Amino acid sequence: MKRGKNYKESVALFDSKALYDADEALATVCKTAKAKFDETVEVHVRLGVDSRYADQQVRGAVVLPNGTGKTVRTMVFAKGDKAKAAEEAGADYVGAEDYVEKIQKENWFEFDVVIASPDMMGVIGRLGKILGPKGLMPNPKAGTVTPDVAKAVTEAKAGKIEYRLDKTNIIHCPIGKASFGAEKLSENFNALMNAIIKAKPAAAKGQYIKSCTVASTMGPGVKVNYAKLG
């Protein structure tokens, strides 16, 4: 893969084989983010579990103390008082069957998070094949299927992110923008890692965190000393 000048300059700023403490790794990522836009900083954590087994799944959600730096658009499926509460909490779109039809017929996706009250799951179940592959299907573990839709909207707007294993047993999560600086990114990083560590399945054996890397959108990956993470 051919790399650009900025990438090569970024790689020269640190030892790509070394393991860094999280604070130092994130400070390095901020230095290597050289794109003309505000790059997103992501964490990639490889876990010692097997996602093929239900009792070794790792999935949940956490509110990042400093948010993600992204404006989050919320779609809420609710009726009656819950719909009104969602609107008052600042939801971008609130509805029921009308929005199911809009998504199905118009391929409409002007939202980043989908929240639903439990009584609406029968209605949006029809969207499983559409929302599922995009990672947008509401889920109780992520707190996006809840009777308190207003709280879910507030948390989503405040920077709540979902983490889940992919098929290769890796979690990929954004923790903010390079412009946040190392201190705010470290706070977000610690919040995410604490949540992942707490979510360790009882069936997980041996070393839980196998590797951890942080990187900006266009920058190289910086390895974190995972032995200090738990």
Side-chain angles (χ1 to χ4, degrees):
M1 185 175 177
K2 194 174 180 183
R3 299 292 192 180
K5 180 185 173 186
N6 281 349
Y7 186 93
K8 289 175 181 175
E9 287 177 355
S10 295
V11 169
L13 292 173
F14 68 101
D15 182 349
S16 60
K17 292 180 181 178
L19 296 177
Y20 292 87
D21 286 348
D23 292 354
E24 194 177 353
L26 289 162
T28 303
V29 166
C30 292
K31 286 180 195 168
T32 61
K34 295 177 177 289
K36 291 179 181 177
F37 61 92
D38 193 3
E39 296 181 48
T40 296
V41 176
E42 286 198 345
V43 178
H44 308 277
V45 188
R46 187 164 63 90
L47 299 180
V49 296
D50 191 334
S51 61
R52 292 175 298 175
Y53 298 100
D55 63 352
Q56 293 189 46
Q57 287 294 326
V58 179
R59 181 175 186 176
V62 60
V63 178
L64 299 179
N66 299 301
T68 61
K70 180 183 177 183
T71 301
V72 177
R73 302 165 298 174
T74 52
M75 169 73 244
V76 179
F77 287 95
K79 290 181 176 179
D81 291 344
K82 288 184 174 65
K84 186 179 178 184
E87 287 172 355
E88 289 174 353
D92 297 273
Y93 307 100
V94 182
E97 288 86 354
D98 51 338
Y99 275 107
V100 171
E101 196 170 312
K102 186 176 177 69
I103 292 167
Q104 285 177 325
K105 293 185 176 178
E106 299 176 26
N107 201 30
W108 177 77
F109 289 102
E110 297 296 315
F111 48 85
D112 307 295
V113 176
V114 181
I115 296 161
S117 57
D119 58 309
M120 293 301 296
M121 287 310 292
V123 175
I124 65 168
R126 305 200 296 265
L127 296 174
K129 289 183 179 177
I130 301 172
L131 297 180
K134 293 180 179 290
L136 291 169
M137 194 66 183
N139 183 283
K141 284 187 178 179
T144 45
V145 176
T146 172
D148 195 347
V149 290
K151 181 184 177 185
V153 169
T154 302
E155 288 182 342
K157 295 280 187 184
K160 185 175 188 177
I161 59 165
E162 185 179 351
Y163 58 86
R164 61 190 296 182
L165 280 179
D166 66 10
K167 290 179 181 177
T168 60
N169 305 315
I170 297 174
I171 290 173
H172 308 273
C173 266
I175 56 164
K177 299 287 186 180
S179 61
F180 281 20
E183 188 175 337
K184 285 186 176 181
L185 287 172
S186 290
E187 290 171 359
N188 283 357
F189 174 87
N190 290 333
L192 172 63
M193 292 309 302
N194 287 339
I196 291 172
I197 290 165
K198 282 180 183 175
K200 181 180 179 179
K205 299 289 185 280
Q207 189 178 332
Y208 181 49
I209 297 176
K210 293 281 191 178
S211 69
C212 180
T213 304
V214 289
S216 62
T217 308
M218 306 294 287
V222 182
K223 294 174 182 176
V224 178
N225 186 354
Y226 53 87
K228 293 187 177 182
L229 299 175

